[in-house]
Amino acid sequence: MINGYDRMKNWLWIIGLFFVLSLHAEDGHRLWLRMERNAVPADVRLVEGTRRTDILDIASRELKDFWKGEGRVLLCVSKGGATRDGFTIRKKGQDMELSSASDRGVLYAAYDLLRRQQTGDLLSDGAVVTEMPSYDIRILNHWDNPDGTVERGYAGRSIWRWDELPETVSPLYEEYARANASVGINAVVLNNVNAKPQMLSTGMLRKVAVIADVLRPYGIRTYLSVNFASPKALGELPTADPLDADVQRWWKKKTKEIYCLIPDFGGFLVKANSEGEPGPQDYGRTHADGANMLAGILAPHGGVVMWRAFVYQASSLDRACQAYEEFMPFDGQFHENVIVQVKNGPIDFQPREPFSPLFGAMQHTQVMPEFQITQEYLGQSIHTVFLPTMWKACLDAETYRDGGGTVAEVTQHRVGIHSRSAMAGVANIGDVVNWTGSDMAQANWYAFGRLCWNTDLSVAQIAEEFLKQTFSTDEHFVEPVRQLLLRSWDTAVSYMMPLGLHHIFAFGHHYGPEPWCAPPNTRPDWLPKYYHRADSIGIGFDRTVRGSKAVLQYHEPLATLYGNLETCPEEYLLWFHHVPWEYVMRNGLTLWDNLCYIYNSGVEDAWEFVDFWQKARPYIDSERYERLLKRFERQAKDAEWWRDACLLYFQRYSRRSIPADCLPPVHKLEDLMKFKLHIDNYTVADMDNLP
Ligand code: GCW
């Protein structure tokens, strides 16, 4: 018999357990914004002469709720403050003064202060911190479709609930805006670059306006991707020729309609004449004709055109050369409010590419880098790959153009008086509870914002900030996991595509290896063989002067450095050269042996990450720990899958044995070649069913 006392004791136990569990339940939804709310609001005031705005209200609210400092926080917008979203923080005795020329700058200062509080990077008395963002426009590109799917999205469906809008406004929009503002992101393109014409219908624009209203007080401007054929596709005109007067009138009217609904609308992102999307070339016009037509219409409203340079045809010209060939003739012909948006590498977001030669080449055009935050080619929402290491490799690369300059420097430089600098990242965000599928993939969203804000930040610092805010400040946790993040890109490249190999993915979904993949009637430049060119002599793509001549698109000394087998950086060896299997590399081993050892080290590293992660167990909540452990284990198995698929397949050409001190393969090539992955709306449906 249980008496009343026991029953009460049992209940207390259950309630207590529930309390403890709920304290430790971490579904990942709070991202890096896991501050404890104040019981008594902090003392936050606007200084005299600073007028309230929606943005300042948010800055005040955040500080009142979460700032734990003793003194007052004074917010000040004044003409003399830092411009272009920059800010100054001064510690005066117990008080903090946050000042800027704009309310946006003050908002960023508020988040800077809260970040310092979270990471323990506190300001000493009398300290003065001034920050200026590296880029004017720090923009996320969503590849979200009006039907709620997300192209290359691995985190559920789109967060934009078009079917509920404009009446129902999901709370996600504001949470999303806040997360972006906290890392300095000030612009978003809501929809896929493969843009549906219907995005410009009046009904859709009304919905877009509601989202823009939620984003605005967080300092974020809304942009749209547009389908270049919209006037025709919406059935309103027989043509979309950019030089046709009716077409121009149509865009003018549409643009006016947009600005009536969204007065601070940012502008258009355009993917034209690329992968089947319409564009000016359909009418015998050029990229410059198309971009300038839209730019002319947007200019009086203060809008910009981001025109993508991701173009390639199924032609005999090496795909890596095509964007340069198509865009260079128009250098200097684009209007000041056109920004040519260039992917970091000349092909397509591969695990490792040399930087696109367009960055160094287009000297009279505003050019912006586009990075992919979503891990289309890097293990999607399963593998942990900390991407700022890769982005910085591009940003820090010296272009050797006239006067010199790294990719970061040349893209931050403003080409015209009215031009703006910008950096774009393809978002990895969806409507799953933790936003990004993998809890660790949040790090790449965070890092993108931080790097746009300051390209000089070190990858180590970004990793540390993220880990401390998102998981734990305990050094026993931070140090090993930071090391893991810092190594993760190199590791992924090692087990996927070392030494400059590229595009040897499974067809379509791009998860997992398929270097043999050759479905009938497929464009050759969509198939791995086009890129790896393995044969009995060697492997790699000859882009030297004897081959496709892609090296000549780089300034000297890079053209010679890349073009010479002896001097080419080994990480790009097979990107630029077809190299004999027996070629002796700098470490004295043959290419084949090197390939084997690098794949092998990638696998070893991936298993080591599992160990690292297991050591993190005592320091974080079990929910995120377990979710990530499953992923780290799968990542290591995938590394084996990659190694076995690539080495066993290439071995058919090299006819050499795998060195005896490498781990033996765990798979048979025949089995891997038969395996077909089930992908459900771009997401690996069942991790346990992979090889
Ligand atoms: O990487 C490729 C993707 C496409 C994408 C395209 C692009 C939006 O596989 O899904 O389309 O790039 O960047 O336009």
Side-chain angles (χ1 to χ4, degrees):
M1 276 288 279
I2 304 181
N3 62 29
Y5 175 72
D6 282 339
R7 198 171 296 134
M8 197 171 80
K9 239 173 49 183
N10 285 347
W11 269 111
L12 282 175
W13 261 108
I14 292 169
I15 292 168
L17 194 71
F18 180 77
F19 186 67
V20 169
L21 280 178
S22 61
L23 254 188
H24 291 276
E26 284 278 5
D27 57 15
H29 192 69
R30 291 190 295 162
L31 297 161
W32 48 87
L33 295 163
R34 294 166 59 258
M35 305 156 288
E36 296 280 343
R37 196 178 287 275
N38 291 333
V40 180
D43 183 353
V44 182
R45 315 172 179 188
L46 305 188
V47 303
E48 225 184 282
T50 293
R51 271 192 319 196
R52 266 184 74 178
T53 65
D54 290 347
I55 292 182
L56 288 179
D57 280 351
I58 288 175
S60 306
R61 194 186 67 205
E62 292 284 29
L63 292 164
K64 280 183 183 158
D65 284 351
F66 301 109
W67 175 245
K68 313 234 168 334
E70 297 279 294
R72 298 170 306 170
V73 187
L74 307 167
L75 308 184
C76 168
V77 176
S78 81
K79 282 211 182 73
T83 55
R84 292 180 47 226
D85 289 354
F87 60 80
T88 301
I89 302 178
R90 286 189 185 79
K91 181 153 197 241
K92 296 176 168 169
Q94 298 275 53
D95 293 348
M96 291 286 184
E97 187 188 84
L98 280 48
S99 64
S100 169
S102 69
D103 50 1
R104 257 195 345 208
V106 171
L107 180 65
Y108 297 134
Y111 284 120
D112 187 276
L113 210 55
L114 294 174
R115 177 183 317 114
R116 288 172 185 281
Q117 174 173 275
Q118 285 301 94
T119 57
D121 180 17
L122 295 172
L123 296 179
S124 53
D125 230 0
V128 180
V129 175
T130 297
E131 296 247 343
M132 279 299 228
S134 296
Y135 290 95
D136 300 320
I137 306 176
R138 307 174 291 278
I139 188 165
L140 283 183
N141 288 185
H142 283 264
W143 285 357
D144 295 20
N145 298 312
D147 67 1
T149 56
V150 180
E151 180 150 354
R152 309 302 176 186
Y154 313 103
R157 290 170 61 77
S158 171
I159 54 171
W160 316 125
R161 305 206 168 137
W162 299 114
D163 47 346
E164 297 177 352
L165 283 161
E167 291 80 15
T168 305
V169 184
S170 158
L172 280 182
Y173 308 156
E174 187 170 352
E175 293 171 6
Y176 161 87
R178 176 177 184 240
N180 280 333
S182 76
V183 292
I185 290 169
N186 67 356
V188 299
V189 180
L190 299 184
N191 63 313
N192 193 351
V193 285
N194 293 329
K196 296 277 182 273
Q198 79 192 81
M199 277 310 293
L200 289 181
S201 67
T202 300
M204 269 313 247
L205 291 176
R206 292 222 169 91
K207 299 171 193 239
V208 170
V210 171
I211 297 176
D213 288 343
V214 180
L215 304 186
R216 189 174 300 112
Y218 286 88
I220 299 169
R221 281 178 124 184
T222 299
Y223 292 64
L224 289 176
S225 293
V226 296
N227 181 298
F228 197 77
S230 295
K232 188 174 165 203
L234 290 172
E236 295 178 23
L237 291 177
T239 173
D241 179 351
L243 300 193
D244 180 286
D246 287 336
V247 170
Q248 295 176 2
R249 258 192 296 276
W250 187 92
W251 281 108
K252 225 180 229 160
K253 206 171 137 216
K254 191 45 83 181
T255 303
K256 211 170 141 199
E257 182 187 351
I258 296 174
Y259 277 92
C260 283
L261 288 163
I262 310 164
D264 60 344
F265 182 70
F268 298 141
L269 170 63
V270 193
K271 171 176 177 179
N273 294 117
S274 160
E275 298 188 328
E277 293 301 308
Q281 292 174 345
D282 303 346
Y283 305 93
R285 314 299 183 191
T286 67
H287 285 292
D289 292 332
N292 288 340
M293 182 272 288
L294 292 175
I297 290 168
L298 284 160
H301 302 279
V304 302
V305 175
M306 294 170 173
W307 191 270
R308 291 176 96 224
F310 177 66
V311 293
Y312 62 100
Q313 319 285 337
S315 77
S316 56
L317 185 62
D318 173 7
R319 176 171 166 187
C321 295
Q322 294 191 26
Y324 178 104
E325 291 296 325
E326 274 205 52
F327 276 79
M328 270 310 283
F330 306 112
D331 188 23
Q333 292 182 28
F334 291 99
H335 288 187
E336 273 188 4
N337 60 331
V338 174
I339 315 179
V340 173
Q341 181 166 318
V342 178
K343 288 189 181 182
N344 56 289
I347 290 191
D348 185 11
F349 297 139
Q350 293 303 292
R352 181 186 269 145
E353 296 193 35
F355 70 90
S356 165
L358 276 173
F359 291 118
M362 294 195 90
Q363 309 206 18
H364 310 289
T365 304
Q366 191 69 42
V367 174
M368 63 188 279
E370 173 181 334
F371 295 109
Q372 199 180 36
I373 310 171
T374 191
Q375 291 170 236
E376 172 179 0
Y377 295 104
L378 278 160
Q380 303 182 0
S381 57
I382 296 178
H383 297 200
T384 284
V385 185
F386 192 48
L387 298 173
T389 323
M390 169 164 89
W391 303 334
K392 263 191 91 91
C394 171
L395 292 166
D396 292 346
E398 176 57 53
T399 64
Y400 294 99
R401 73 177 206 180
D402 281 356
T406 61
V407 171
E409 286 161 353
V410 306
T411 53
Q412 281 159 32
H413 170 82
R414 286 129 164 269
V415 170
I417 307 169
H418 300 292
S419 68
R420 273 152 278 184
S421 63
M423 173 160 140
V426 180
N428 61 349
I429 297 158
D431 72 351
V432 292
V433 174
N434 71 357
W435 300 90
T436 53
S438 161
D439 295 288
M440 212 49 105
Q442 297 175 353
N444 291 324
W445 177 8
Y446 180 87
F448 172 75
R450 296 292 287 141
L451 261 193
C452 294
W453 181 269
N454 182 358
T455 45
D456 289 334
L457 281 179
S458 73
V459 179
Q461 180 180 335
I462 300 172
E464 182 169 330
E465 285 177 9
F466 171 78
L467 291 172
K468 284 183 168 172
Q469 294 171 91
T470 313
F471 288 99
S472 162
T473 50
D474 193 316
E475 268 309 303
H476 297 97
F477 170 81
V478 174
E479 198 33 46
V481 182
R482 190 177 70 147
Q483 289 306 330
L484 183 164
L485 290 184
L486 295 189
R487 282 166 53 188
S488 60
W489 175 52
D490 208 48
T491 294
V493 172
S494 298
Y495 63 68
M496 284 182 174
M497 279 166 254
L499 295 175
L501 285 172
H502 50 291
H503 227 308
I504 53 179
F505 293 95
F507 193 74
H509 56 70
H510 300 157
Y511 189 91
E514 230 175 76
W516 51 82
C517 163
N521 309 322
T522 308
R523 272 173 69 159
D525 57 342
W526 284 352
L527 297 179
K529 286 183 184 179
Y530 175 94
Y531 300 97
H532 66 65
R533 310 208 164 195
D535 57 26
S536 62
I537 297 167
I539 182 170
F541 197 126
D542 183 359
R543 296 194 162 105
T544 69
V545 287
R546 290 172 304 281
S548 81
K549 302 189 172 46
V551 290
L552 298 179
Q553 296 183 340
Y554 292 91
H555 294 292
E556 288 297 1
L558 291 179
T560 304
L561 184 93
Y562 291 156
N564 181 335
L565 187 54
E566 307 300 317
T567 56
C568 181
E570 287 186 343
E571 71 253 36
Y572 303 135
L573 196 67
L574 307 179
W575 182 281
F576 288 115
H577 297 269
H578 188 76
V579 183
W581 298 111
E582 282 302 282
Y583 176 74
V584 177
M585 293 180 54
R586 273 157 231 167
N587 62 3
L589 300 176
T590 63
L591 168 66
W592 171 252
D593 283 356
N594 265 298
L595 210 55
C596 294
Y597 284 121
I598 297 174
Y599 270 111
N600 209 60
S601 73
V603 172
E604 283 174 350
D605 282 2
W607 279 115
E608 209 183 319
F609 291 175
V610 176
D611 290 345
F612 270 52
W613 190 247
Q614 282 169 335
K615 296 207 177 83
R617 180 177 222 144
Y619 307 103
I620 65 164
D621 54 285
S622 55
E623 197 173 340
R624 288 182 301 171
Y625 171 79
E626 294 294 340
R627 259 205 310 264
L628 276 163
L629 180 64
K630 245 178 95 180
R631 285 179 159 76
F632 278 117
E633 284 169 351
R634 187 59 244 177
Q635 179 171 2
K637 287 184 197 152
D638 283 355
E640 290 173 342
W641 173 20
W642 271 97
R643 174 200 57 193
D644 293 353
C646 296
L647 288 184
L648 296 175
Y649 172 73
F650 291 138
Q651 195 176 32
R652 290 184 166 183
Y653 296 95
S654 79
R655 309 212 159 272
R656 279 158 181 83
S657 51
I658 295 174
D661 51 350
C662 284
L663 297 162
V666 293
H667 302 286
K668 288 203 182 73
L669 182 61
E670 304 75 68
D671 297 340
L672 294 179
M673 288 178 77
K674 270 187 252 145
F675 176 76
K676 277 279 163 245
L677 176 57
H678 172 66
I679 287 274
D680 188 16
N681 185 28
Y682 283 125
T683 299
V684 177
D686 184 357
M687 273 198 252
D688 298 330
N689 266 342
L690 299 176

